[in-house]
Amino acid sequence: MLTSLFDRSDLYIQSLIETWWMVFYALSISALIGLPLGVLLVVTRPKHIFENVMIYNVLNVIINILRSVPFVILMVAIIPFTKFIVGTAIGVKGAIVPLVVYTAPYIARLMESALLEVDPGIIEAFKSMGASRRQIIWRVMIREARPAISLGLTIATIGLIGATAMAGVIGAGGLGDLAIRYGYQRWELDVMLWTVILLIIIVQGVQSIGNYIAKRLRKN
């Protein structure tokens, strides 16, 4: 079995690189979209600092709809949109669009949960001291929620790694594509097994790093 790993090391390395690029780009773009959406979900809810029921309800419904669609169905359903954005629906480039559509609402919900853990008493105290709403968001809510945000992004990253594996169905490349082409279609069980082992190692590493960062943030 080890012989299989070393003999096909180029194949595994190439798949790892493709998985890394998919996770890197999709997570970066999703965080840029999802984090502000999460903040907006919290501050526009009733009795919060930017209360706006209409914006809150519209965002809430859109995020619920996007999160209700399984990723396998989502990436097929938005193929025309993916082609419009990046010009192709296959390969690493074609996988990033559905990964972002799938992950951004997920990050928004995780961000919302993290910010709701902030003690309302602290926000009220800063309001009474004359802090602006912008200062409350940046210096109170986000600062207090940093450990929870870190753990939320860790969960999102792990979910994204799983989604990249599913993206192998549309020939996205990466470890999922390797498992499907060699492990399933050619029934080479050693490839399938090594793919699973590599995914487990990656997920364990990401979770450990996320836990460490959250622990450090709690001390600061």
Side-chain angles (χ1 to χ4, degrees):
M1 190 173 149
L2 275 175
T3 306
S4 165
L5 178 66
F6 291 117
D7 287 348
R8 292 180 165 174
S9 58
D10 291 345
L11 197 60
Y12 290 109
I13 291 170
Q14 179 63 32
S15 297
L16 283 169
I17 292 172
E18 289 172 349
T19 298
W20 154 256
W21 282 121
M22 280 191 282
V23 171
F24 175 77
Y25 282 116
L27 184 65
S28 301
I29 300 170
S30 299
L32 286 175
I33 298 171
L35 293 177
L37 281 180
V39 173
L40 207 54
L41 273 172
V42 173
V43 299
T44 57
R45 64 176 47 227
K47 298 181 181 178
H48 218 287
I49 56 176
F50 279 107
E51 179 179 347
N52 189 315
V53 177
M54 189 179 76
I55 292 177
Y56 173 76
N57 286 334
V58 169
L59 277 179
N60 201 37
V61 169
I62 291 173
I63 289 173
N64 281 343
I65 291 172
L66 290 173
R67 292 207 57 213
S68 301
V69 184
F71 180 65
V72 174
I73 296 174
L74 176 73
M75 65 182 175
V76 175
I78 66 168
I79 281 177
F81 176 68
T82 304
K83 286 182 177 177
F84 174 75
I85 297 294
V86 295
T88 178
I90 59 173
V92 172
K93 193 190 290 185
I96 290 174
V97 174
L99 287 171
V100 169
V101 175
Y102 174 73
T103 308
Y106 188 39
I107 289 179
R109 282 290 182 221
L110 292 170
M111 182 72 175
E112 180 190 22
S113 299
L115 293 176
L116 288 176
E117 289 181 10
V118 177
D119 185 353
I122 299 176
I123 297 174
E124 288 301 321
F126 274 82
K127 282 169 71 176
S128 65
M129 287 188 290
S132 66
R133 290 183 289 192
R134 183 179 175 184
Q135 288 173 325
I136 290 173
I137 291 172
W138 284 104
R139 298 185 181 179
V140 182
M141 293 172 60
I142 292 178
R143 182 174 178 80
E144 289 291 321
R146 286 182 306 169
I149 293 172
S150 171
L151 289 175
L153 287 176
T154 302
I155 293 170
T157 306
I158 291 172
L160 191 53
I161 292 169
T164 63
M166 284 189 276
V169 173
I170 59 169
L175 291 170
D177 185 54
L178 180 67
I180 290 172
R181 283 191 296 119
Y182 287 82
Y184 178 67
Q185 294 175 347
R186 300 185 186 183
W187 203 243
E188 297 184 22
L189 294 181
D190 54 328
V191 176
M192 178 73 81
L193 188 57
W194 275 116
T195 303
V196 172
I197 290 172
L198 289 171
L199 285 170
I200 291 172
I201 292 171
I202 292 170
V203 168
Q204 292 298 318
V206 169
Q207 186 65 62
S208 298
I209 293 170
N211 290 344
Y212 175 76
I213 293 173
K215 189 176 177 182
R216 291 294 300 268
L217 289 173
R218 285 195 186 96
K219 291 180 179 177
N220 294 331

